[in-house]
């Protein structure tokens, strides 16, 4: 029986796609392909595919060592979009928050008010900050951004920034700070999310793991007098039949060299994080076929740091899986697949028409 049949109509959810700004697009996982390398043209085409396909939003990821610059790309693509929102990732360690606030407000104006921000608790390249102070800095940054982008004067006496500023002249279309999306599994990360973000993002996990994380984060946010919304990041492999979807998953890994996969995982700046460790554990505890539970395949994690599992199946199975997450409290999905343009088309045709979706407001 479906989640909707058990609980009644599910609330509308936001469905986002992913543009591979960080050199993360393949036909065969772990095998570099010059045609799929991050570039303005290639990543632009993925975004326009998502716009045409009817997705609500698209994540523009960010990595200092990989790919192309996210903020510059967001500014370049914004005037080309008619309805798609942008979820622009920003690395806190590389930013001065007042300047970042002006960049966010400017790009939001260019988009007609459709910008959202994915906060990443990063180091400054070349430096390493321990977990607790790094997330404390991230909490300060979210407070500064929200204050200035809400059009309020800032009087901040923090550990990392001491600032007394009027808000920038330019503001967002709404006059309010855009929604801040944020993810992380360590205690420090969860505390930062509970204090400052609006949408808490999770990487793939078992159904029980998702439920436990949602319950924990709701309790943490409540201690600060706040509520959170929840998002789920996953890869997709959807085909007309389950056997065809599983065959596509097998094909994706058919040329993967184990050493190359390990090198790709290690190259990511977050390769030692609690979230990455959890993805590795999910993969290690999966069955011999790589499935951690029905339709949740962990093979992608063999050559990818971070989000390391895919929802695999026929359209009915994939939709049921997404609706199950929705019934648990997930309101936003950030989906991707390899190659990203081709899989976006399949998800747009087989999945989007069957789900009530739209931008989180």
């Amino acid at each position: 029986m479906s989640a909707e049949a058990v609980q009644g109509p599910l609330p509308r959810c936001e469905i986002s796609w992913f543009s591979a700004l960080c050199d993360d697009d393949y036909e065969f996982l772990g095998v570099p392909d010059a045609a799929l390398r991050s570039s303005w043209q290639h990543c632009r085409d993925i975004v326009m595919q998502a716009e045409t396909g009817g997705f609500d939003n698209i994540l523009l990821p960010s990595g200092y060592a990989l790919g192309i610059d996210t903020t510059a790309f967001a500014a370049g693509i914004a005037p080309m979009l008619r309805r798609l929102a942008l979820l622009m990732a920003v690395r806190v360690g590389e930013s001065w928050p007042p300047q970042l606030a002006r960049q966010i407000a400017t790009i939001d104006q260019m988009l007609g008010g459709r910008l959202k921000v994915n906060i990443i608790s990063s180091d400054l390249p070349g430096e390493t900050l321990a977990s607790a102070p790094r997330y404390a800095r991230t909490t300060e940054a979210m407070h500064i951004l929200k204050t200035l982008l809400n059009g309020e004067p800032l009087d901040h006496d923090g550990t990392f920034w001491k600032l007394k500023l009027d808000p920038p002249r330019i503001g967002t279309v709404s006059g309010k700070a855009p929604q801040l999306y944020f993810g992380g599994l360590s205690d420090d990360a969860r505390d930062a999310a509970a204090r400052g973000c609006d949408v808490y993002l999770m990487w793939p996990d078992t159904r029980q793991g998702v439920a436990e994380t949602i319950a924990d984060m709701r309790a943490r946010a409540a201690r600060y007098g706040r509520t959170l919304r929840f998002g789920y990041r996953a890869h997709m492999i959807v085909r007309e039949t389950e056997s065809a979807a599983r065959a596509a998953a097998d094909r994706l890994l058919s040329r993967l060299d184990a050493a190359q996969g390990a090198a790709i995982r290690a190259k990511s700046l977050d390769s030692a994080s609690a979230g990455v460790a959890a993805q590795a554990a999910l993969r290690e505890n999966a069955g011999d076929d790589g499935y951690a539970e029905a339709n949740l395949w962990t093979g992608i994690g063999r050559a990818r740091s971070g989000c390391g599992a895919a929802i695999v199946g026929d359209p009915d199975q994939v939709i049921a899986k997404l609706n199950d997450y929705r019934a648990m409290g997930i309101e936003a999905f950030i989906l991707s697949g390899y190659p990203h343009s081709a899989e976006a088309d399949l998800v747009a045709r087989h999945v989007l028409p069957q789900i009530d979706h739209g931008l989180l407001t």
Side-chain angles (χ1 to χ4, degrees), residues 9-24:
L10 296 166
R12 173 173 289 191
C13 64
E14 177 179 281
I15 302 184
S16 305
W17 198 247
F18 175 94
S19 186
L21 273 65
C22 295
D23 293 331
D24 180 42

Side-chain angles (χ1 to χ4, degrees), residues 40-359:
W40 159 253
Q41 292 85 358
H42 178 58
C43 297
R44 174 203 62 199
D45 290 349
I46 295 173
V47 174
M48 300 313 295
Q49 176 71 44
E51 164 104 338
T52 302
F55 290 89
D56 305 311
N57 195 2
I58 189 160
L59 173 62
L60 306 180
S62 177
Y64 172 76
L66 303 170
I68 59 179
D69 183 73
T70 307
T71 306
F73 181 89
I77 201 75
M80 303 174 66
L81 302 176
R82 295 179 178 272
R83 45 161 299 278
L84 193 70
L86 295 181
L87 176 54
M88 182 178 75
V90 298
R91 303 182 68 84
V92 167
E94 300 169 25
S95 303
W96 186 58
Q99 177 63 20
L100 178 58
R102 294 176 65 220
Q103 293 170 333
I104 289 169
T106 301
I107 296 172
D108 183 78
Q109 291 274 346
M110 296 167 72
L111 271 172
R114 301 190 310 278
L115 183 67
K116 297 157 182 278
V117 177
N118 178 198
I119 297 289
I120 301 174
S121 182
S122 71
D123 285 313
L124 181 68
E127 298 180 3
T128 301
L129 201 60
S131 175
R134 179 163 52 81
Y135 281 108
R137 180 174 63 185
T138 301
T139 302
E140 284 191 31
M142 288 191 285
H143 168 72
I144 293 168
L145 289 174
K146 283 190 171 185
T147 301
L148 293 175
L149 289 168
N150 282 332
E152 301 166 0
L154 176 71
D155 189 354
H156 178 76
D157 184 15
T159 301
F160 298 92
W161 292 284
K162 300 182 186 300
L163 300 168
K164 191 169 185 176
L165 295 171
D166 288 331
R169 179 188 62 79
I170 185 170
T172 62
V173 170
S174 69
K176 298 294 184 182
Q179 290 168 317
L180 301 183
Y181 293 53
F182 179 86
L185 278 182
S186 70
D187 278 341
D188 295 326
R190 293 181 190 225
D191 185 69
R195 288 174 180 268
C197 82
D198 301 298
V199 182
Y200 178 76
L201 295 175
M202 287 171 273
W203 283 338
D205 202 347
T206 62
R207 192 180 189 283
Q208 178 180 346
V210 172
E212 290 172 352
T213 300
I214 289 174
D216 176 66
M217 290 307 303
R218 281 176 172 159
R220 288 175 185 256
R223 289 198 287 270
Y224 295 112
R226 305 186 68 242
T227 59
L228 295 173
R229 304 174 88 168
F230 294 94
Y232 190 83
R233 169 91 178 88
H235 302 287
M236 300 286 280
I237 301 177
V238 59
R239 299 294 185 272
E240 291 188 357
T241 66
E242 182 180 14
S243 61
R246 283 179 170 249
D250 292 339
R251 181 181 185 274
L252 184 61
L253 290 186
S254 63
R255 300 184 186 179
L256 177 63
D257 175 78
Q260 176 67 10
I264 291 170
R265 296 197 304 272
K267 187 165 58 174
S268 173
L269 294 179
D270 65 357
S271 59
S273 73
V276 170
Q279 292 296 282
L282 184 71
R283 185 171 67 254
E284 290 162 4
N285 292 324
D288 292 341
D289 59 358
Y291 284 80
E293 63 182 17
N295 305 109
L296 186 65
W297 178 65
T298 64
I300 279 179
R302 289 172 55 188
R304 194 183 194 282
S305 180
C307 175
I311 300 171
V312 178
D314 65 34
D316 288 343
Q317 290 171 320
V318 168
I319 291 163
K321 192 77 169 173
L322 294 176
N323 284 341
D324 199 24
Y325 293 133
R326 293 170 69 197
M328 296 168 68
I330 300 295
E331 295 184 74
F333 294 97
I334 301 174
L335 308 175
S336 58
Y338 298 105
H340 291 300
S341 286
E343 198 69 35
D345 178 62
L346 290 165
V347 173
R349 288 192 286 115
H350 291 305
V351 177
L352 293 188
Q354 308 304 319
I355 294 181
D356 181 18
H357 65 95
L359 278 177

